[in-house]
């Protein structure tokens, strides 16, 4: 675990954590709704806000440090003791869409991709996120979406709290800016990041509802199993809104996407 913490993403994670708690501290020290609640002895809002920020940080490190679905061994092998000639006689529907990665030399299951940043192949690869310095894949995608949801709640609440500490200047703009400059910075940071997280959350909810990954959505013409499906935007893995969301959030196992693809192909034909 320590090796993961102190690898190349250490500065990114440290910066994210320091910025999060720095903004939280500013909101408590300035004359915001949090400070007013503390002075009145009403601790419910400060405690809930602090717990929400803590939860967002914990989810950030969970998504950042967990295995996104790295492929460690070949995914399809013949029967024990089978020769190359015998393996070549296996049904082509089982293996024809698998290919060997040109970097790590492992067989990739369908929907997997090699990440140049992580130097590993990832199951159901979505994208490599520089924000968490980790890939988003089959095992941590749902946690990534949950993190975005909690982070959006914390950011929008912090944005509202920062605005509550601003008042119309009474003695001129110069003194007012000196007194509220840090709080204005918090308004700008939380406002910008709220919009970014909102867009990301909306995009990933849409992709989850259609059982599509960011890589597949952006690179469909270059992906063989989607290119051979047809020229349209039809997705062979789409099982309908409710089933897609159920599979995304509730199915916690490795999925044989080649079999799903074969069943969809039979129904499609």
């Amino acid at each position: 675990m320590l090796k993961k913490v102190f690898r190349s993403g250490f500065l990114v994670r440290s910066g994210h954590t320091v910025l999060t708690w720095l903004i939280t501290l500013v909101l408590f020290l300035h004359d915001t709704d949090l400070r007013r609640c503390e002075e009145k002895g009403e601790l419910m809002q400060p405690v809930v806000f602090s717990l929400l920020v803590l939860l967002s940080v914990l989810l950030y490190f969970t998504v950042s440090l967990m295995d996104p679905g790295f492929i460690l061994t070949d995914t399809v092998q013949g029967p024990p003791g089978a020769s190359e000639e015998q393996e070549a006689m296996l049904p082509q529907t089982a293996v024809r869409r698998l290919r060997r990665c040109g970097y790590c030399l492992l067989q990739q299951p369908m929907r997997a991709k090699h990440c140049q940043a992580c130097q590993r192949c990832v199951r159901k690869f979505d994208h490599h996120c520089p924000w968490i310095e980790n890939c988003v894949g089959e095992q941590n995608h749902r946690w990534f979406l949950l993190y975005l949801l909690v982070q959006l709640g914390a950011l929008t609440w912090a944005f509202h709290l920062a605005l509550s500490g601003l008042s119309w200047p009474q003695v001129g703009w110069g003194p007012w800016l000196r007194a509220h400059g840090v709080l204005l910075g918090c308004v700008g940071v939380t406002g910008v990041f709220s919009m970014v997280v909102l867009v990301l959350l909306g995009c990933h909810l849409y992709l989850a509802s259609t059982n599509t990954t960011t890589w597949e959505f952006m690179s469909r013409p270059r992906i063989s199993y989607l290119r051979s499906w047809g020229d349209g935007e039809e997705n062979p893995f789409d099982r309908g809104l409710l089933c897609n969301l159920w599979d995304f959030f509730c199915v916690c196992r490795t999925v044989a996407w080649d079999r799903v693809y074969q069943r969809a192909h039979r129904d499609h034909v």
Side-chain angles (χ1 to χ4, degrees):
M1 179 65 73
L2 288 178
K3 289 182 179 180
K4 287 186 176 181
V5 172
F6 288 100
R7 61 185 181 182
S8 61
F10 173 71
L11 291 178
V12 175
R13 299 186 183 101
S14 298
H16 175 89
T17 305
V18 169
L19 182 62
T20 298
W21 289 114
L22 184 61
I23 291 176
T24 303
L25 182 62
V26 169
L27 295 176
F28 272 98
L29 293 179
H30 281 72
D31 187 25
T32 63
D33 286 347
L34 287 179
R35 182 71 176 270
R36 299 181 194 117
C37 287
E38 284 185 310
E39 293 174 349
K40 295 177 182 178
E42 301 172 358
L43 300 181
M44 179 63 71
Q45 182 174 339
V47 169
V48 173
F49 177 73
S50 299
L51 290 177
L52 183 64
V53 173
L54 178 61
L55 178 60
S56 72
V57 173
L58 292 177
L59 283 172
Y60 173 80
F61 278 96
T62 298
V63 177
S64 178
L65 299 177
M66 74 183 299
D67 181 353
F70 291 128
I71 300 171
L72 304 178
T73 59
D74 281 348
T75 56
V76 172
Q77 298 176 348
S83 64
E84 291 185 4
E85 182 179 351
Q86 290 173 321
E87 289 184 7
M89 297 173 62
L90 290 172
Q92 290 299 306
T93 56
V95 297
R96 69 185 182 89
R97 296 187 181 277
L98 292 175
R99 65 185 183 88
R100 192 169 293 277
C101 176
Y103 297 95
C104 56
L105 303 180
L106 295 175
Q107 283 183 323
Q108 293 179 333
M110 187 172 285
R111 309 190 83 178
K113 184 181 182 296
H114 185 87
C115 174
Q116 296 287 355
C118 294
Q119 294 298 309
R120 307 280 286 277
C121 287
V122 181
R123 293 180 182 274
K124 199 187 175 189
F125 176 84
D126 188 85
H127 72 288
H128 181 88
C129 180
W131 190 352
I132 64 174
E133 274 296 320
N134 195 13
C135 281
V136 176
E138 189 169 63
Q139 293 188 21
N140 68 345
H141 199 173
R142 62 179 62 86
W143 291 101
F144 180 74
L145 199 149
L146 178 61
Y147 160 68
L148 291 178
L149 181 62
V150 173
Q151 184 71 71
L152 179 62
L155 284 168
T156 52
W157 195 351
F159 179 75
H160 170 74
L161 291 171
L163 286 177
S164 71
L166 300 177
S167 59
W168 192 257
Q170 302 294 329
V171 293
W173 286 99
W176 184 86
L177 287 174
R178 285 193 292 271
H180 297 84
V182 176
L183 206 57
L184 279 174
C186 290
V187 170
V189 171
T190 55
V192 170
F193 276 98
S194 294
M195 293 302 298
V196 172
V197 174
L198 178 62
V199 172
L200 281 174
L201 180 61
C203 290
H204 282 276
L205 281 174
Y206 168 76
L207 293 173
S209 68
T210 58
N211 202 346
T212 307
T213 65
T214 301
W215 174 55
E216 291 171 342
F217 182 80
M218 300 294 293
S219 306
R220 181 183 178 99
R222 294 186 290 147
I223 301 174
S224 59
Y225 58 83
L226 293 179
R227 188 174 62 246
S228 62
W229 186 260
D231 297 331
E233 297 298 323
E234 188 176 357
N235 177 15
F237 308 108
D238 188 357
R239 299 177 56 223
L241 175 63
L242 295 180
C243 288
N244 289 336
L245 292 177
W246 173 266
D247 291 344
F248 183 86
F249 287 105
C250 302
V251 176
C252 301
R253 57 179 171 79
T254 299
V255 179
W257 292 109
D258 55 331
R259 297 179 182 176
V260 176
Y261 184 92
Q262 290 166 26
R263 289 196 296 268
H265 180 72
R266 287 196 296 268
D267 296 339
H268 183 69
V269 173

